[in-house]
Amino acid sequence: MSKIITIDPVTRIEGHSKITIHLGEQGEVEEARFHVTQLRGFEKFAEGRPFHEMPSLMARICGICPVSHLIASSKACDMLMSVTIPPVAVKLRRIINLAQIAQSHALSFFYLSSPDLLLGMDSDPAKRNIVGVARANPDLARSGIHLRALGQEIIELLGGKKIHPAWVVAGGVSHPLSKEHREHILKKLPEAITIAENTLTWFSLQLEKFSEEISVFANFPGLFMSLIGPGDELETYDGRLRLADEQGKVAADIPAIEYKSIIAEAVSLHSYLKSPYFKTLGYPDGMYRVGPLARLHLAKDCGTPKADKALAQFKQLDHKSAFHYHLARLIEILYAFEMIQKLLSDDEILDTRVRAFAAANAREGFGVSEAPRGTLMHHYKINDNGLITYADLIIATGHNNLAMNQGITQAAKHYIKSERLTDGILNRIEAVIRTFDPCLSCSTHAIGQMALEIQLLSPEGKLLDQVRR
Amino acid sequence: MEGVCLNPSLITWLVIGFGSELHGDDRFGRAVADALEKDFAKFSLVPDCTRVRCRVISANTIGPEMVAEMAVAGGVIFVDASAELVPGQLSLTDLHLENTEDQSIAATNHHCSPRVLLSLCSVLYPRTPPAWLMSAGGANFNLSENMTPLLSAQVNQACKKIVELICLNSAAHSGSITPRI
């Protein structure tokens, strides 16, 4: 008799989803599925809109990572206008993207995952939250608050507001950086860099406590994908698109605009989230991972001293485990603030020529960047009037869809040994998803407290066991 | 950008209006924040209360990153729409008087409640500010950029009550304020 366990909704992630765990005749786990339960309609309702509206419109996809969509969308519009944007505009876009990565990673690590990492996967779920973290380790909580607040402040100073800034536009950015804002940010960076370093040191010492989780949290061979710089360095704004396996063997290395030559998208009946895959290996074997783990796995170096030191230690770890997304996030926070410091220290950053103006000069535009959660692609086509006729968005969370499904299957098989369910089991399966930090807000509006329920049902729908919080 | 009190004799209050601007009456807190912003620019003096300056924040959601600024504020007033109150009804709740010890409900997501933020403040910083929640009963929270006329009409009234509240309480609480210079 086969049975299904349902976790609905999954908590401490960005968005609404559920997990179903399918048991076989003997009660063994056969498969687990990650369902995104709400529909994103942006690709469709962008049709008919003027192309220059796309950056601001697409930023509304999400309140957590609007800057990422602004960047990818603006780059696609640059291409529609056939312009090369001013060099300082590229640097300013890089800075706001790095600030976005830092604040988003801080949210993921400190607010959403640190309750598990500090208090334990089996700790009281009523206290397993940011307030619980603050009580157990105030310094850690203050660090998270500080790093996220600074990332948001940099976005606000550059973009005018923390959420949905309209500063990144087709052709560059809308206005230059003021000297006062540069000095204000530069003054705050050293403390943030120290905090990021200290948190890295603390978390590195915690890793041995999680050896079991490391071994079964989406720990399997497979491909990793990210943008990569010309010297194989970490790249978040531009560069080539590279796929390589867990050993570093390159499977593809192409200009990002040629993504369709290697990536196709599958649609499954159980989720609104599409499943991109590497064409050469087919569906679903062409599964790959994106995001901080993939970026640091593929990068030879970061290009900033402190992050490079941390990366050297990171290279010693088993990158097959999704658990190491957490450490990768901390390294990228450190990298982001170091790189912002580097970019701001160049006086050219105050150059006032920050935008190229043009009408539409091409029918097709493609933009790519590294969002906090991985490679983000926007692809548009327009008609003679500059109106959108086609929009294709491949969101970072989508790239990870197949890996997340395989990851929760692995964890469920390891932890579920009977028909009795515990909160610790439930939390660990959710925690696999949290390592990827999926942003389902990119496909829905996710706000508010979520209840959590896991049910074990017979094929006839009879409730066999239930855990609720 | 931050709540720095440049003149120690001045008290900085925070007004945080929050909600979605795309869900009808849910934008009430934002509308009040915007109206207050027009009345007195960031850090300017509150009318008729020369010892107080006010910083207004308008946000989709509130989160822990606001706590550090709260900890040094003379007082904090959150403004939000409510689906629980009678449409058009204004309500003022003194959050400081309520028990903030067990705010375990905190964020299963990135969104927090005012009480969770106060609880975080009390754990992380040496001082928790006096705080209030001004709520207004909404009638429509569906997709819309406009509030219902009933709630729109309450924006000015809410602003007036907030200014009165600040002036009334700033003297009472001024002794506990540690200004940052």
Side-chain angles (χ1 to χ4, degrees), chain B residues 80-94:
Chain B
D80 191 16
S82 166
E84 312 296 326
L85 296 173
V86 175
Q89 181 189 350
L90 279 181
S91 163
L92 191 66
T93 309
D94 186 340

Side-chain angles (χ1 to χ4, degrees), chain A residues 11-15 64 107 111-112 126-127 129-131 134-135 138 141-142 145 148-149 152-153 156-157 163-164 184 188 441 446-450, chain B residues 1-2 21-23 42 55 57 60-61 63-68 100-112 116 119-120 122-125:
Chain A
T11 58
R12 277 187 281 137
I13 61 168
E14 305 301 345
I64 303 296
L107 187 153
Y111 293 10
L112 305 181
K127 295 178 179 169
N129 51 52
I130 185 67
V131 178
R135 290 202 170 110
R142 275 191 288 265
I145 287 170
R148 176 156 158 81
Q152 287 190 316
E153 186 180 0
E156 187 177 11
L157 285 169
I163 301 174
H164 300 142
H184 182 88
K188 291 196 164 189
S441 301
I447 299 294
Q449 187 181 2
M450 296 179 184
Chain B
M1 299 302 300
E2 61 177 30
E21 293 182 307
L22 300 175
H23 284 266
K42 280 182 185 176
R55 158 132 151 96
I57 297 175
N60 274 22
T61 61
E65 54 276 5
M66 293 173 172
V67 170
T100 58
E101 278 302 303
D102 187 23
Q103 290 302 328
S104 309
I105 49 160
T108 50
N109 203 299
H110 56 276
H111 175 78
C112 289
V116 169
S119 187
L120 268 175
S122 70
V123 174
L124 294 177
Y125 299 97

Side-chain angles (χ1 to χ4, degrees), chain A residues 438-449:
Chain A
C439 187
L440 309 179
S441 301
C442 284
S443 60
T444 181
H445 301 285
I447 299 294
Q449 187 181 2

Side-chain angles (χ1 to χ4, degrees), chain A residues 23-44:
Chain A
L23 306 182
E25 297 295 327
Q26 307 304 316
E28 79 286 5
V29 174
E30 286 188 335
E31 184 189 17
R33 290 177 182 170
F34 179 57
H35 308 251
V36 176
T37 51
Q38 294 190 357
L39 174 69
R40 182 185 73 243
F42 274 77
E43 288 165 329
K44 207 61 195 166

Side-chain angles (χ1 to χ4, degrees), chain A residues 345-404:
Chain A
S345 297
D346 183 350
D347 284 342
E348 189 200 14
I349 203 72
L350 298 175
D351 195 325
T352 54
R353 287 159 295 186
V354 294
R355 185 174 184 180
F357 292 91
N361 289 302
R363 290 187 177 278
E364 196 166 349
F366 171 76
V368 64
S369 68
E370 284 292 333
R373 294 156 183 87
T375 316
L376 172 64
M377 299 164 169
H378 281 222
H379 187 179
Y380 311 141
K381 293 179 186 175
I382 56 174
N383 63 18
D384 289 340
N385 299 317
L387 303 179
I388 297 287
T389 58
Y390 166 92
D392 184 28
L393 315 178
I394 306 186
I395 311 288
T397 295
H399 291 296
N400 279 332
N401 198 12
L402 290 173
M404 287 191 287

